[in-house]
Amino acid sequence: MNKKIILSGIQPSGELCIGNYLGALKQWNILQDKYESIFLVVDMHALTVDQVPSDLRQRCLSFVAQYIACGIDPDKSIIAMQSHVHEHVELMWVLNSLCYLGELNRMTQFKDKSKDKKNVNVGLFTYPVLMASDILLYQADLVPVGADQKQHLELSRDLAIRFNYKYSDTFKIPEPFIPESGARIMSLQDPLKKMSKSDSNLNNIIALLDSNAIIKKKINRAVTDSGSEIKYSEDKPGLSNLIDIYTSLTNEKIEDVEQKYIGKMYSVLKKDLIEIIIDFLGPIKEEYTKIISDKAYLAEVLSDGSEKASFKARRTLSKVYRKVGFVKK
Ligand code: ATP
Ligand code: LTN
C-alpha cells in the first residue's frame, strides 16, 4: 500500500527558534519514519517581507542545514527549495481564481503582519493561497504545523474542496497535524504573544543556534509573575510558557514538573531549564557546523530534493491544467 504523504515548510526569515522546533521540526522528525515526507524551505513566501538578497540566499542554505541538523534525513525525506519547483506558483494562479477576497481578508496572520504598515504588498495578502498550492501540489494527507497555521490550513482544505466540486475529484483534502505539547510557544519577554523567529527583539526568542551564554541570559531575563508557586496556570503566562518549553523538550508531564518543584523558587526552575536547553541544542549546533561548511553536500541534497519534488508536482499540475480546460502542449 502507498504510504501517506506529509508536507510542511518554514519561511527563511529571521532565525529558526525553539518555537519552530517544538511546533514543527520535532514532529517532522518523528513523522518522517512513517510517511512519505516533503519538507520545504519556502523562500517565495519569505519575499512577502523585506529581505536583503545576499542574506536571504545564505539563510536559505542555513535553514536546510538546520533541518538536517535537527534530524530531517535527506535519505528518508525530500528537502526542497520552494523556488526550485516552478509548479508552486503555477498552481497558485489557478487557486487564486477560486479564492475569495473575503476569505483572505479574514486571515489573522495577514491582519497581524499588515498592521502598522504604510504599504502592504499583495504577496502578503495572497500568501495563504501560495501555501495552499504548496500543500495540494503534493497531494499531502497531513500537514504538521504549529497552532498558528490552523486558519491557513482550513483555507487550503476549502480551496481543495471547491476545486474538486467544480472540476471533479483532483486534490486530497489535507488534515492539520498540531502537536499536543509545544504547538504555541510564547515570547520570553511578552508571554501573551507567540515566539516568532523574525521578532526584532532577540530577547523574545531562543534561536536554535544561540550560544550557551546567550541562552542563559535570555532564560534568566524571561518574564515571570511576582508569585512564588511553580504552577501551570492561565494567570501565570510567563511561568507556564517556561514549563511548556521544559515539558516539550523532556517529554515530561506538566503535573510531574509541578510536583518536582514544590516549594522551590522560580530561579531553580530557570536554572534547570537553561541546562535542558543547552544540552538539547548542543548536538544540533555541532551537527550544523559540520553540514553548513559542506556546500557540495547541501547542493546535492537540494538538487536531489527538487528533482523528486518537481516530478510529483508536474503530475498534479498537468492534471489540474487538463481539468480547467487548458490546451495540451
Ligand atoms: P516569522 O516570525 O518569520 O513569521 P514564525 O516563527 O512565525 O516566523 P513560520 O515560518 O511562520 O515561523 O512557521 C514555521 C513553523 O513553525 C510553522 O509550522 C509554525 O506553525 C511553527 N511555529 C511558529 N512559531 C511557533 C511557536 N511560537 N510555537 C510553536 N510553533 C510555532
Ligand atoms: N505559512 C507557513 C509556512 C508554510 C507552510 C507551507 C507550512 C508555507 N507553505 C506549507 C506548511 C505547509 C508558516 O508557518 N508561516
Side-chain angles (χ1 to χ4, degrees):
M1 207 180 79
N2 279 348
K3 272 189 182 173
K4 287 200 167 182
I5 299 172
I6 58 168
L7 176 133
S8 197
I10 300 182
Q11 52 175 347
S13 43
E15 295 181 48
L16 267 181
C17 68
I18 207 148
N20 304 127
Y21 178 83
L22 294 172
L25 281 155
K26 183 178 174 193
Q27 330 313 317
W28 301 4
N29 206 343
I30 299 168
L31 294 170
Q32 67 177 342
D33 287 324
K34 208 164 133 209
Y35 294 87
E36 186 175 336
S37 311
I38 303 151
F39 300 120
L40 303 169
V41 174
V42 288
D43 50 355
M44 301 191 106
H45 276 99
L47 281 189
T48 58
V49 289
D50 246 0
Q51 301 289 348
V52 176
S54 55
D55 290 351
L56 178 62
R57 194 167 296 123
Q58 274 193 351
R59 201 179 310 113
C60 285
L61 287 179
S62 169
F63 271 41
V64 174
Q66 288 180 72
Y67 283 10
I68 301 171
C70 285
I72 306 307
D73 180 351
D75 290 331
K76 290 183 192 159
S77 305
I78 296 176
I79 300 178
M81 203 60 77
Q82 186 183 33
S83 64
H84 290 181
V85 184
H86 55 75
E87 284 82 358
H88 288 254
V89 274
E90 295 181 64
L91 177 58
M92 182 201 185
W93 187 255
V94 176
L95 298 178
N96 266 344
S97 312
L98 280 182
C99 185
Y100 306 126
L101 277 180
E103 289 177 303
L104 296 181
N105 264 326
R106 281 196 293 275
M107 293 292 143
T108 54
Q109 183 175 301
F110 172 71
K111 286 187 206 161
D112 286 349
K113 293 207 169 182
S114 57
K115 198 173 58 191
D116 308 327
K117 273 217 172 86
K118 241 216 247 113
N119 288 312
V120 178
N121 69 68
V122 176
L124 201 58
F125 188 62
T126 56
Y127 176 112
V129 187
L130 182 57
M131 175 164 165
S133 125
D134 298 340
I135 296 168
L136 303 183
L137 200 51
Y138 299 99
Q139 305 287 356
D141 295 279
L142 216 57
V143 183
V145 282
D148 62 314
Q149 294 302 308
K150 198 162 173 264
Q151 195 187 28
H152 285 165
L153 217 76
E154 267 154 25
L155 178 76
S156 304
R157 289 169 56 86
D158 289 345
L159 291 177
I161 292 169
R162 201 169 300 154
F163 186 99
N164 288 352
Y165 182 73
K166 186 166 180 191
Y167 298 105
S168 82
D169 252 8
T170 308
F171 294 119
K172 266 199 208 148
I173 313 301
E175 294 283 342
F177 182 93
I178 297 171
E180 268 170 35
S181 152
R184 194 168 165 82
I185 299 297
M186 308 308 276
S187 149
L188 296 178
Q189 293 296 314
D190 178 0
L192 295 178
K193 68 170 198 187
K194 89 170 184 83
M195 184 182 282
S196 272
K197 65 176 147 49
S198 23
D199 200 315
S200 54
N201 179 359
L202 290 179
N203 284 324
N204 283 333
I205 73 168
I206 300 281
L208 299 186
L209 302 179
D210 271 346
S211 71
N212 294 351
I214 296 279
I215 294 169
K216 192 169 170 196
K217 196 173 85 188
K218 287 180 177 175
I219 295 294
N220 277 332
R221 281 188 186 172
V223 168
T224 47
D225 56 285
S226 54
S228 59
E229 193 193 3
I230 297 195
K231 187 110 196 99
Y232 190 94
S233 83
E234 236 173 67
D235 50 315
K236 291 174 177 258
L239 178 71
S240 299
N241 188 40
L242 296 182
I243 298 178
D244 263 336
I245 299 175
Y246 190 123
T247 53
S248 307
L249 286 177
T250 58
N251 297 320
E252 284 174 62
K253 291 209 180 87
I254 292 176
E255 308 84 80
D256 293 344
V257 171
E258 284 173 337
Q259 189 73 24
K260 191 151 76 181
Y261 289 92
I262 285 178
K264 296 197 174 134
M265 290 194 300
Y266 289 177
S267 58
V268 180
L269 178 91
K270 279 189 169 181
K271 188 169 158 283
D272 290 351
L273 180 59
I274 290 167
E275 222 168 90
I276 289 167
I277 298 175
I278 288 179
D279 286 351
F280 176 75
L281 291 181
I284 293 179
K285 286 187 277 184
E286 210 174 293
E287 195 56 25
Y288 170 79
T289 311
K290 282 188 226 151
I291 301 166
I292 196 65
S293 60
D294 193 346
K295 294 289 183 288
Y297 170 68
L298 284 173
E300 193 188 308
V301 167
L302 283 177
S303 119
D304 188 46
S306 73
E307 195 186 318
K308 289 181 180 149
S310 296
F311 179 78
K312 291 175 184 297
R314 262 199 306 274
R315 243 190 356 216
T316 303
L317 190 72
S318 62
K319 215 191 234 181
V320 167
Y321 275 10
R322 182 165 45 80
K323 298 232 180 168
V324 300
F326 289 166
V327 173
K328 202 166 183 250
K329 217 170 27 172

